[in-house]
Amino acid sequence: MSDEETYDVLCLLGTDHHPFARMLGWMDAWQRGAGQTARVMVQRGFTRPLGRTALTQVDFLGHHDLTRLLSRSRAVVCHGGPGTIFDCRRAGLLPVVLPRSAEHGEHVDNHQVLFTQRLASAQLIDRVQTEDELHRALHSALQRSRTTLESADDAAVAASTQRLSALVDEALTRQHQQQQSRVRRREEPHP
């Protein structure tokens, strides 16, 4: 990857071993429609590549390449991972976020769904749940300039992100414990 490459949109599916074909398909549809003139780079991770697409696709990006591309992109679409969101915000971008969901087989649980709900309520991300929402949010993101995103103190954003992540982890742990307790009760012999 050359240091001179720039893209209008950077799409980050993450590096989890679960595929995220839903986001890749939605980005391809956007590129074929409203975004025909936009250059789009997709970091796919373990999601199978699309054939016959105008999207530039790579498996993985090193952190140096990721931060360089974020600094040069006009918009970013990403999964709901805290590290990725923090990198986007640090680059001055308000990320369009489609959280991975367990219902779609994109993750082991719904921690990204819960985490991004909190971030969206604090207006730290533009959270989407449908293909139409993604397309509209991406169009809006391309109209924004980086200067419209208030500069946030990196330490404050990192602390908030870590606290929100801890709260989500606590909630998921409680939910898991409750489910295990229900299973044990059902498995216990009844007198």
Side-chain angles (χ1 to χ4, degrees):
M1 182 175 306
S2 91
D3 282 346
E4 302 304 314
E5 284 183 288
T6 61
Y7 295 89
D8 297 303
V9 179
L10 183 58
C11 178
L12 306 169
L13 277 58
T15 58
D16 185 80
H17 70 277
H18 294 88
F20 202 7
R22 181 170 57 122
M23 184 189 281
L24 186 58
W26 291 0
M27 287 301 298
D28 184 53
W30 178 82
Q31 177 67 38
R32 292 175 190 271
Q36 289 178 9
T37 60
R39 292 190 67 217
V40 181
M41 158 75 80
V42 178
Q43 174 273 314
R44 293 185 288 86
F46 290 97
T47 302
R48 282 190 161 159
L50 291 177
R52 292 192 170 211
T53 182
L55 303 171
T56 300
Q57 301 174 75
V58 298
D59 295 340
F60 299 98
L61 292 169
H63 197 258
H64 171 76
D65 287 333
L66 172 65
T67 55
R68 184 180 49 76
L69 287 167
L70 282 170
S71 72
R72 295 180 180 184
S73 297
R74 292 175 44 211
V76 64
V77 177
C78 66
H79 65 105
T84 300
I85 291 170
F86 180 67
D87 284 340
C88 296
R89 299 265 320 162
R90 188 180 328 180
L93 294 165
L94 179 69
V96 174
V97 180
L98 175 64
R100 288 172 171 263
S101 82
E103 287 80 19
H104 290 98
E106 298 159 347
H107 221 310
V108 296
D109 57 31
N110 281 326
H111 72 276
Q112 286 194 2
V113 173
L114 298 171
F115 180 67
T116 59
Q117 285 172 340
R118 297 240 180 169
L119 292 182
S121 68
Q123 298 179 341
L124 295 172
I125 63 170
D126 190 352
R127 183 176 183 268
V128 298
Q129 298 179 79
T130 68
E131 185 174 3
D132 286 341
E133 287 175 0
L134 175 70
H135 293 189
R136 282 193 301 273
L138 190 48
H139 177 75
S140 294
L142 287 168
Q143 303 308 311
R144 272 192 300 271
S145 70
R146 287 174 185 273
T147 57
T148 61
L149 181 61
E150 289 182 25
S151 298
D153 175 30
D154 284 347
V157 171
S160 296
T161 300
Q162 288 174 343
R163 178 67 183 134
L164 284 171
S165 184
L167 290 170
V168 169
D169 286 344
E170 288 171 21
L172 288 171
T173 299
R174 273 195 310 277
Q175 180 184 22
H176 179 72
Q177 289 169 342
Q178 290 169 350
Q179 288 171 342
Q180 292 300 317
S181 178
R182 283 191 292 265
V183 167
R184 280 192 298 274
R185 281 192 300 249
R186 276 187 253 145
E187 292 174 350
E188 290 176 359
H190 297 295

